[in-house]
Amino acid sequence: MTSATSNHPSIGEFANQTNSIFMGLLKPQQLLEEKFLGFVLTDFCGQVACESKSQLSSSTILKIKRLAAAVAGVGKRKIWLDPAEQAEIGNANSRSHVKKLIKDGRVIIKPTVIHSRARTRDLLAAKRKGRHTGPGKRKGTAEARLPTKVQWMRRQRVLRRLLRKYREAGKIDKHLYHSLYQKSKGNVFKNKRVLMEYIHKAKAEKNRTKVLTDQMEARRGKNKATRDRRAKRLAEKRQAILAVEHEAAVQE
């Protein structure tokens, strides 16, 4: 089966003829005879039109972006160069020239891309209220999510910080501090509120004991003074009786 004849040249012939016209090896009459003029002129005009536009090299673009980024104080990815002003942009070789291009709008600083955290803040606020924390949202065991060791360290630090604060403020003495420190280490206090209540009770008990001790000392002193006075009176009476008896014996 023979292929259908066509008036258009093949790709290889078109490439050879194109190279020939640029090298000056093919005459216009031959072009008309071979029917290549339309294709060659179209390709040639396209190349001329592309070359008429000044294209910036990648090194020049990087240089301009680096200068603009340094002048504006932003990253190079924030710099936009106007493609219609590439000829003037390519002539920029100083910071002052780049500043003028930025001022004229030929080099533009892209706006900062906003990554809003509004939805994240709303979600965290809801989680603090206990929302979105059910069994379906949990990944890992309770021990993995919040280890008991971490809970213990946090609790001990809270209790010891409170004891240190009370000791420095003079609310408890060093003896009570040491006793409460050991009790905290022994897992006696569940939280700070329990420790504060224990401190208040301990201080009240200590004050009550001190008051009772003082009262007992005062009563003991008073009783001793009473006994001394009674003994003194008895001694005086005895001396008086002895004196009377002695006088009576002398008179007899």
Side-chain angles (χ1 to χ4, degrees), residues 62-208:
L62 289 177
K63 182 187 70 173
I64 300 300
K65 285 191 174 184
R66 180 179 59 80
L67 285 175
V71 168
V74 297
K76 288 185 288 187
R77 68 186 184 90
K78 291 291 185 181
I79 304 300
W80 180 83
L81 306 179
D82 191 352
E85 303 291 342
Q86 292 191 7
E88 185 174 355
I89 293 175
N91 296 328
N93 57 2
S94 63
R95 289 173 176 266
S96 59
H97 200 167
V98 172
K99 286 182 181 179
K100 186 175 184 302
L101 292 176
I102 295 175
K103 184 178 180 181
D104 295 341
R106 292 178 173 82
V107 176
I108 296 177
I109 310 300
K110 295 180 183 179
T112 303
V113 178
I114 298 175
H115 187 180
S116 176
R117 283 188 54 81
R119 292 180 296 276
T120 303
R121 285 194 294 267
D122 294 342
L123 179 61
L124 293 178
K127 282 189 175 183
R128 282 193 292 270
K129 293 181 180 179
R131 277 65 162 167
H132 316 291
T133 55
K137 291 290 185 179
R138 299 173 190 170
K139 301 293 183 180
T141 62
E143 180 68 21
R145 289 164 59 87
L146 186 58
T148 54
K149 182 176 181 180
V150 174
Q151 296 180 12
W152 172 262
M153 289 190 301
R154 289 180 181 176
R155 184 170 56 178
Q156 289 302 307
R157 287 171 182 172
V158 169
L159 298 178
R160 292 175 182 178
R161 191 182 304 121
L162 178 66
L163 291 176
R164 188 165 56 251
K165 177 182 176 182
Y166 275 20
R167 185 184 62 179
E168 292 174 356
K171 295 182 178 180
I172 58 176
D173 56 4
K174 62 180 182 179
H175 304 290
L176 183 58
Y177 170 84
H178 181 72
S179 175
L180 296 177
Y181 190 98
Q182 296 296 331
K183 289 181 181 297
S184 300
K185 186 176 180 181
N187 198 23
V188 174
F189 309 115
K190 184 172 65 175
N191 50 39
K192 188 167 70 173
R193 177 183 57 81
V194 176
L195 175 58
M196 292 175 65
E197 292 178 356
Y198 187 92
I199 291 175
H200 294 326
K201 290 181 180 179
K203 290 178 66 176
E205 182 66 22
K206 183 178 179 181
N207 292 333
R208 191 176 70 86

Side-chain angles (χ1 to χ4, degrees), residues 8-58:
H8 298 288
S10 64
I11 297 176
E13 293 175 350
F14 178 75
N16 294 332
Q17 296 297 338
T18 304
N19 294 332
S20 298
I21 189 174
F22 286 117
M23 297 299 294
L25 302 178
L26 193 63
K27 296 180 180 180
Q29 292 80 4
Q30 294 174 337
L31 292 175
L32 292 174
E33 292 177 358
E34 298 294 336
K35 299 179 182 180
F36 280 97
L37 183 62
F39 298 101
V40 174
L41 288 179
T42 301
D43 184 76
F44 180 76
C45 292
Q47 291 186 6
V48 171
C50 292
E51 291 176 0
S52 63
K53 294 183 179 181
S54 59
Q55 298 291 335
L56 295 179
S57 64
S58 60

